């Protein structure tokens, strides 16, 4: 019985996530088209609503091409590892009040551990392809992810100092009186920009720079191999926006000034906040040119790292001075 309930929970988390990933691709193309004064996908289905299904079917039936000089075992496993790691992170995300697969007490550490492991899928894909372009893209991506994970870790220390727990549900419940985005607005902005860099999104999409690296670490992949990388990237985007919602926007908690909306389910509040942050990802991609690689590294190591470390000392000193430590 326990096994059946666990499988049911997994399905109830994974299926909506896969649908969200599929329609996130459509939303991105539609929003960018609107910002560029064009229509976007509008042929397959009403208003183009079946376009993600058509894209998925196309990738599914295409021939999988395996490079003759590649290390085939690692080459095939790399996208599978990347996609699975993008999914298992969702085990500890509270999607609503009491709606979480595993409400463990070290949820923040679990998220940081899984995000660190995701580098291996990218590194192995670039190395096993036996292609200079793919390997350079993988190295860039690894360096970028490691650089911005440091600042993300220090930013989260500020939240943990205010909460006194590593449990994500506790982080949300602590924000019942005030969301952390208001007292910690500069940290929220740094977290959001770091999330862009962590997920290799524009203007930090250096690992997939078409101008110099063709397509980065997935240049040799086709069909379902490419699709798994694609799905993993969008799953990580939704994950980072969900974490921003949990840490700074009160998770599933409603906007208290809007008393008329108390009847809205907690999962809807969570989804609306996450969708708003995802819209920001698309808006930024449409608006800003790509950074140079030295600018990317300078921002991570010389700007975000000292600023996030300074905020740790500042928040800790405030909490100690007023005896507010939980």
């Amino acid at each position: 019985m326990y096994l059946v309930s666990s499988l049911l929970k997994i399905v109830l988390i994974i299926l909506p996530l896969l649908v969200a990933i599929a329609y996130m691709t459509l939303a991105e193309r539609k929003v960018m088209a609107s910002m560029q004064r064009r229509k976007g996908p509008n042929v397959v289905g009403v208003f183009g609503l079946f376009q993600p299904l058509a894209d998925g079917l196309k990738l599914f039936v295409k021939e999988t091409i395996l490079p003759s000089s590649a290390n085939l075992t690692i080459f095939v496993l790399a996208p599978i590892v990347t996609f699975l790691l993008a999914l298992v992170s969702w085990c500890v995300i509270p999607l609503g009040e009491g709606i979480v697969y595993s409400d463990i007490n070290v949820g923040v550490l679990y998220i940081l551990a899984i995000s660190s492991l995701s580098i291996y899928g990218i590194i192995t894909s670039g190395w096993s392809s036996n292609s200079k372009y793919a390997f350079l893209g993988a190295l860039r991506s690894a360096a970028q992810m490691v650089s911005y994970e440091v600042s993300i870790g220090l930013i989260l220390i500020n939240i943990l100092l205010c909460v006194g727990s590593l449990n994500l549900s506790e982080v949300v419940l602590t924000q019942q009186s005030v969301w952390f985005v208001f007292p910690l607005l500069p940290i929220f902005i740094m977290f959001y920009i770091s999330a862009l860099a962590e997920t290799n999104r524009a203007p930090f999409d250096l690992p997939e720079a078409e101008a110099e690296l063709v397509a980065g670490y997935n240049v040799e992949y086709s069909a379902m191999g490419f699709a798994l990388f694609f799905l993993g990237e969008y799953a990580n985007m939704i994950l980072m926006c969900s974490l921003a919602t949990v840490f700074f926007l009160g998770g599933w908690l409603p906007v208290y000034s809007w008393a008329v909306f108390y009847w809205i389910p907690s999962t809807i509040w969570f989804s609306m906040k996450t969708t708003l942050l995802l819209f920001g990802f698309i808006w930024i991609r449409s608006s800003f040119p790509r950074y140079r690689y030295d600018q990317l590294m300078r921002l991570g190591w010389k700007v975000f790292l000292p600023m996030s470390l300074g905020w740790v000392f500042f928040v800790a000193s405030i909490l100690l001075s007023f005896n507010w430590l939980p």
Side-chain angles (χ1 to χ4, degrees):
M1 192 64 184
Y2 175 75
L3 180 61
V4 172
S5 63
S6 297
L7 288 174
L8 185 61
K9 277 185 179 180
I10 291 170
V11 169
L12 289 176
I13 292 172
I14 297 299
L15 281 184
L17 176 62
L18 293 177
V19 172
I21 291 168
Y23 281 92
M24 176 64 194
T25 62
L26 178 65
E28 180 171 23
R29 295 165 72 180
K30 282 285 194 181
V31 171
M32 288 184 68
S34 177
M35 290 179 176
Q36 296 163 1
R37 299 180 68 83
R38 54 188 177 84
K39 289 185 181 296
N42 65 345
V43 175
V44 186
V46 182
F47 302 115
L49 288 176
F50 293 153
Q51 186 67 49
L53 305 179
D55 291 339
L57 180 63
K58 181 196 74 171
L59 289 169
F60 184 74
V61 300
K62 280 183 76 172
E63 179 187 1
T64 300
I65 298 171
L66 300 175
S68 58
S69 59
N71 186 321
L72 292 182
T73 304
I74 301 177
F75 184 83
V76 171
L77 286 176
I80 298 171
V81 169
T82 302
F83 180 62
L84 288 178
L85 287 173
L87 294 184
V88 296
S89 304
W90 286 89
C91 292
V92 296
I93 303 294
L95 304 174
E97 192 169 5
I99 304 174
V100 57
Y101 178 76
S102 181
D103 197 20
I104 57 176
N105 290 327
V106 288
V108 178
L109 285 180
Y110 176 85
I111 291 289
L112 290 173
I114 296 297
S115 65
S116 300
L117 287 173
S118 62
I119 295 173
Y120 289 105
I122 291 170
I123 281 283
T124 52
S125 68
W127 178 82
S128 63
S129 298
N130 200 19
S131 164
K132 293 183 179 65
Y133 291 119
F135 190 54
L136 282 171
L139 290 178
R140 275 189 175 190
S141 184
Q144 181 173 324
M145 292 172 78
V146 167
S147 300
Y148 282 87
E149 271 181 8
V150 176
S151 59
I152 285 177
L154 288 171
I155 289 165
L156 295 185
I157 288 175
N158 291 282
I159 302 296
L160 301 180
L161 284 171
C162 297
V163 176
S165 172
L166 293 167
N167 184 291
L168 292 174
S169 297
E170 288 290 328
V171 172
V172 173
L173 293 173
T174 307
Q175 300 175 68
Q176 285 181 331
S177 55
V178 60
W179 296 352
F180 287 144
V181 68
F182 299 116
L184 302 175
L185 181 60
I187 297 178
F188 170 70
I189 295 171
M190 284 194 289
F191 182 88
Y192 194 69
I193 297 172
S194 298
L196 287 169
E198 181 76 8
T199 53
N200 298 330
R201 291 287 297 178
F204 307 114
D205 54 340
L206 274 301
E208 300 172 20
E210 293 87 358
E212 63 261 25
L213 291 180
V214 188
Y217 54 86
N218 55 20
V219 65
E220 299 291 346
Y221 284 90
S222 60
M224 283 310 294
F226 172 78
L228 289 175
F229 275 124
F230 194 72
L231 292 171
E233 179 182 335
Y234 277 80
N236 283 326
M237 279 173 55
I238 300 173
L239 175 70
M240 293 305 291
C241 289
S242 299
L243 287 175
T245 300
V246 168
F247 289 127
F248 295 99
L249 299 180
W252 67 78
L253 298 175
V255 179
Y256 281 94
S257 58
W258 299 353
V260 69
F261 295 129
Y262 277 177
W263 57 271
I264 297 177
S266 58
T267 50
I268 302 297
W269 277 115
F270 187 90
S271 302
M272 287 194 299
K273 295 173 188 176
T274 305
T275 303
L276 182 65
L277 295 176
L278 284 168
F279 175 77
F281 271 50
I282 302 170
W283 193 356
I284 289 169
R285 181 182 175 184
S286 304
S287 306
F288 293 98
R290 184 182 294 128
Y291 265 40
R292 269 198 338 258
Y293 198 72
D294 61 304
Q295 293 173 328
L296 172 80
M297 284 299 165
R298 180 184 177 277
L299 181 68
W301 290 106
K302 292 188 176 181
V303 179
F304 280 6
L305 179 59
M307 283 183 66
S308 54
L309 189 59
W311 267 92
V312 170
F313 289 117
F314 175 70
V315 170
S317 61
I318 291 292
L319 294 175
L320 278 172
S321 300
F322 292 93
N323 199 22
W324 288 344
L325 277 172

